[in-house]
Amino acid sequence: MIPAAFDYYRPKDMAGVLSILEEHGDDARVMAGGHSLIPMMKLRMADVPHLIDLQDVGGMSDIAIGADKIVIGAMVTQAQIIDHAELGTKAPILSEAALQIADPQVRYMGTVGGNVANGDPGNDMPGLMQCLDATFTVVGPDGERDIAARDFYEAAYMTAREDDEVLTRVTIPLPSGGYAYEKQKRKIGDYATAAAAVQITKDGGNCTSASIAMTNLSDVPVYSEGASAALVGTTVDDAAIKAAIDAMLGDIDPVEDNRGPIAFKNHVAGVILRRAITRAWSRA
Amino acid sequence: MSNKMHIKLNVNGKAEEFLAEPRELLIYTLRERLNITGPHIGCETSHCGACTVTIDGKSVKSCTMFAAQADGKEITTIEGIGGPDDLHPLQEAFKEHHGLQCGYCTPGMITRATKLLEENPTPTEEEIRFGMAGNICRCTGYQNIVKSIQAAASEMNAAKEAAE
């Protein structure tokens, strides 16, 4: 419950953030909503001698919806995602997923950027962003660079973001067709036993594109190219869904924990993906 | 390291100024520094919601925020919602409908419920249960908390209609 002592900074702009990161290197961490970092600090599992609060850095809390893409500032909260009417129309999978993340209090504080940058495989947005083929923009001493969500996750808590970089925004190609975020969890606020993000398009009764990613079934989120491909060109009948599930099961690598043994997680992953595909298809 | 910081808060309408270490969690500021002991601590993993307060219009678990983060902000705790002689309709309804037993979750429950009813003045039972899901209770089984919030919502909506 009692975090170790640290120095606190609340810079007004990104230049201020980057200079603190540069000065203190590994000893400095940025904090967004604080709802993963502070709990880890309270358990002394995260040691952060220099804590940089991003709340006063401007320009990171906007949602911009263009003709072909959506740009979400890293400091946009889960509550903002849920409350944003136009986002609810243009990319309804985002609020469907956000409503399955944590609880009301946490959603007022927890941010999209923190969720995707955290690197905990339990987080829901990483898989969702892989499903949507989002791009993460990070800024560091040498300027900005873009990293595909599908290339961002290397291992648990290990991502392509360097220690001196800050994730500033998420860019999502405007999704089309049917969608579903299905999550099996033990209770409100729990990380998934298994979850699936599905986006699917239909033309004349046939599936023309599909994108499938899984949450908390490996030490990273899993975009399953094989599962996605198994649906394209089919009528998404039982055989196609079965093929997609089989391909997905080949891509995940769950571990046993108090959410269940590996065999159970594989079983639940199949059930959840079947439900997600079925619901997404019904909405396509 | 850990130089003390000068922090200003407005808590229940009262300006507070003090020096605190950055690592001081807001729940400790409230309880131990300001003697506002309604908000409680029920866990150390940000699940239980017993520490819930309202900060600049958001329901926040004050165990998961440093006082330094709250610098400059307006905070409302259960003490600012109503007192023994001036009960808020939610406080009255929790009493009337037996929405509490040990009372440990109640300050967080009621503080969260004020915000829930502000955002959704006519919630369904399902919306109440989902909207209160960040608050755990070990005594009531939740049923009477739902009833209390429903009753308060009716009361508040009727009062609003009468005023119009």
Side-chain angles (χ1 to χ4, degrees), chain A residues 37-280:
Chain A
L37 186 55
I38 296 174
M40 286 295 111
M41 291 170 74
K42 288 161 65 173
L43 296 168
R44 306 243 176 162
M45 290 171 75
D47 179 30
V48 185
H50 299 275
L51 183 68
I52 309 168
D53 186 346
L54 295 177
Q55 67 170 299
D56 283 351
V57 177
M60 292 175 77
S61 294
D62 298 330
I63 298 171
I65 302 178
D68 57 357
K69 64 181 182 184
I70 297 165
V71 181
I72 299 172
M75 292 292 282
V76 167
T77 64
Q78 304 294 347
Q80 273 178 276
I81 294 283
I82 293 162
D83 290 345
H84 198 283
E86 193 186 355
L87 198 60
T89 315
K90 297 282 174 60
I93 194 170
L94 291 174
S95 58
E96 178 156 296
L99 282 163
Q100 297 177 70
I101 294 173
D103 60 51
Q105 287 95 318
V106 177
R107 291 193 291 264
Y108 282 113
M109 293 298 295
T111 66
V112 172
N115 196 296
V116 300
N118 188 28
D120 187 327
N123 286 116
D124 289 289
M125 292 221 146
L128 175 65
M129 294 305 170
Q130 292 193 336
C131 167
L132 295 173
D133 199 13
T135 301
F136 303 153
T137 302
V138 298
V139 62
D142 302 326
E144 281 190 354
R145 65 187 179 108
D146 289 338
I147 308 164
R150 291 175 189 173
D151 299 329
F152 189 74
Y153 299 95
E154 294 166 351
Y157 300 102
M158 301 287 285
T159 68
R161 184 187 61 80
E162 299 294 339
D163 285 340
D164 58 357
E165 291 178 319
V166 181
L167 193 150
T168 56
R169 62 183 183 273
V170 175
T171 304
I172 301 168
L174 206 63
S176 58
Y179 65 93
Y181 193 80
E182 283 280 347
K183 177 175 175 180
Q184 171 66 41
K185 57 184 192 282
R186 297 170 302 177
K187 60 184 173 58
I188 283 280
D190 192 24
Y191 284 148
T193 303
V198 176
Q199 213 38 79
I200 198 166
T201 58
K202 180 198 267 184
D203 185 23
N206 283 313
C207 169
T208 47
S209 74
S211 180
I212 290 170
M214 308 298 292
T215 293
N216 214 14
L217 292 159
S218 171
D219 64 348
V220 289
V222 175
Y223 169 67
S224 179
E225 203 171 342
S228 311
L231 298 179
V232 176
T234 74
T235 57
V236 188
D237 53 8
D238 259 4
I241 294 173
K242 172 107 183 19
I245 290 170
D246 286 345
M248 176 276 292
L249 289 172
D251 289 339
I252 64 172
D253 184 20
V255 292
E256 176 168 342
D257 60 17
N258 52 13
R259 293 185 182 89
I262 292 168
F264 176 69
K265 290 192 174 183
N266 280 323
H267 173 73
V268 175
V271 171
I272 286 300
L273 181 55
R274 175 178 293 279
R275 284 184 196 165
I277 292 171
T278 305
R279 197 141 57 98

Side-chain angles (χ1 to χ4, degrees), chain B residues 8-151:
Chain B
K8 293 184 189 183
L9 306 174
N10 183 308
V11 187
N12 299 328
K14 189 171 165 232
E16 304 281 2
E17 275 189 60
F18 51 91
L19 291 174
E21 274 192 71
R23 67 168 167 169
E24 182 170 307
L25 293 163
L26 183 61
I27 184 68
Y28 290 119
T29 306
L30 296 171
R31 291 182 52 81
E32 295 181 15
R33 188 180 287 284
L34 306 178
N35 206 27
I36 295 170
T37 56
H40 291 136
I41 299 169
C43 73
E44 56 175 16
T45 50
S46 311
H47 286 104
C48 78
C51 63
T52 300
V53 299
T54 308
I55 303 182
D56 285 357
K58 301 171 172 181
S59 297
V60 175
K61 295 180 178 179
S62 60
C63 77
T64 314
M65 178 181 271
F66 298 113
Q69 280 176 279
D71 184 29
K73 299 191 192 300
E74 286 199 16
I75 300 170
T76 304
T77 71
I78 187 68
E79 290 86 348
I81 288 170
D85 302 320
D86 176 27
L87 292 182
H88 184 280
L90 271 162
Q91 293 170 316
E92 187 68 40
F94 269 66
K95 182 180 123 188
E96 285 301 314
H97 296 272
H98 309 286
L100 70 154
Q101 188 179 326
C102 84
Y104 200 83
C105 75
T106 314
M109 282 283 177
I110 291 181
T111 308
R112 168 60 198 147
T114 59
K115 186 67 199 157
L116 172 69
L117 292 185
E118 204 180 296
E119 291 181 348
N120 181 0
T122 54
T124 63
E125 175 177 347
E126 195 183 344
E127 287 166 345
I128 291 172
R129 288 182 185 275
F130 191 70
M132 297 298 296
N135 294 75
I136 293 174
C137 174
R138 299 192 75 162
C139 299
T140 64
Y142 302 100
Q143 187 65 27
N144 285 350
I145 290 175
V146 174
K147 278 189 197 165
S148 302
I149 295 171
Q150 285 171 323

